[in-house]
Amino acid sequence: YVNMKVYINASGPAFVSVVPKKEDQPEAKSLIVIPGPSGHYYKGVWKAQGSPTVRQFDNPATTRECLKAKKLHLYGDSTIRQWFEFFSEKIPGLFNLHVDVKVGPQMAVDHADNILMTWRCHGPPLKFTTVPVSELRYIANELDDLIGGAYTVVVISIWSHFDLLPIELYIRRLMSIRSAMQRLLDRAPNTVVIIRSGHPRDMTLYVLQLNSDWYSMQIDRVLRSVFKGLNVHWVDAWEMVLAHDLGHNIHPLTPIIKNMVDVLLTHVCPIKG
């Protein structure tokens, strides 16, 4: 404990000079933080700030109509696997071709309405117990294999497995995905791309030893910054978990997932004005 309560000398002046703003000096604008909440809950339903207005897909028939003839590809961690599981449970007739439920890859099909849905975990680092080497695929490579088009929906969530690693590694991975996403949108600009943000998690004693919401927020800010400027839609999971009275959980409970899926489907099938 020899370094406890030891005074650290300043490397520069011990004061700060505040000078008036020059007349032609531009306003400093943040490229990462968007001020203000993205929405709120009213009677358990998420109300997004601004547009588009979030549709309520309470009827399975309405959900099926939205997904009719579409290919829905979900890539990322278990927080996006929850969406795959939600669809599998809530849409009658969607046949889930089960493999390893936790590791995947997973696929669900509906022949009547020509719906194809897949989920694949992102490449390492992973916290799964065992993953076959043959199934270690990177999201960028998967995006390069897609044809894309108006009937293709790509959903990405990649954040929770990077919260124990240096932020530089995360940035490199996101930049690789961004380049592949740009190539996809160049060859098929009408492809619908949706990114799910990170969110606060439950801080149990075990989690507190390894994780913090502060670092998760830095990851979330990097995620938003890297994909800024691309033609992508967002599901603001951070705000949707933070605002709900169910509390924080690494795997949000069903009422929150239902609202997230409504936002997802709203981007796929917005209200036509």
Side-chain angles (χ1 to χ4, degrees), residues 72 74 77-91 94 117 119 155-157 194-197 234-237 240 252 256-265:
L72 181 62
L74 299 95
D77 50 43
S78 58
T79 63
I80 204 70
R81 185 187 67 213
Q82 285 187 277
W83 295 11
F84 181 93
E85 294 167 346
F86 181 89
F87 280 120
S88 299
E89 295 173 1
K90 299 299 181 181
I91 303 179
L94 192 63
M117 189 179 306
W119 170 75
V155 188
I156 294 174
S157 175
I194 300 166
I195 300 177
R196 180 202 189 281
S197 77
W234 287 86
V235 175
D236 195 340
M240 296 183 76
I256 301 178
I257 296 298
K258 196 273 179 187
N259 278 285
M260 290 182 180
V261 168
D262 283 344
V263 176
L264 161 71
L265 294 175

Side-chain angles (χ1 to χ4, degrees), residues 9 11 43 48 90 96 101 105 107 115 118-119 127 134 164 174 178 186 189 191 195-196 200 239 242 260 264 267:
N9 294 317
S11 59
K43 295 184 177 180
K90 299 299 181 181
N96 191 346
V101 175
M107 176 183 293
I115 300 171
T118 67
W119 170 75
K127 299 175 184 175
S134 60
L164 301 179
L174 292 186
R178 189 188 198 281
D186 285 344
T191 304
I195 300 177
R196 180 202 189 281
E239 291 282 345
L242 192 65
M260 290 182 180
L264 161 71
H267 290 310

Side-chain angles (χ1 to χ4, degrees), residues 20-38:
K21 176 185 172 182
K22 297 179 180 179
E23 293 184 2
D24 57 345
Q25 184 178 346
E27 289 284 346
K29 296 183 179 180
S30 171
L31 298 178
I32 301 176
V33 181
I34 301 175
S38 63

Side-chain angles (χ1 to χ4, degrees), residues 76 121-126 135-139 158 161-162 173:
C121 68
H122 61 73
L126 292 170
E135 299 300 345
L136 291 177
R137 309 283 184 85
Y138 290 97
I139 294 177
I158 176 170
H161 293 257
F162 289 81
R173 181 65 57 83

Side-chain angles (χ1 to χ4, degrees), residues 34-64:
I34 301 175
S38 63
H40 64 277
Y41 287 102
Y42 178 70
K43 295 184 177 180
V45 176
W46 180 252
K47 304 292 184 180
Q49 186 77 15
S51 60
T53 301
V54 179
R55 298 179 58 186
Q56 299 304 304
F57 292 83
D58 300 326
N59 188 340
T62 308
T63 303
R64 290 173 63 90

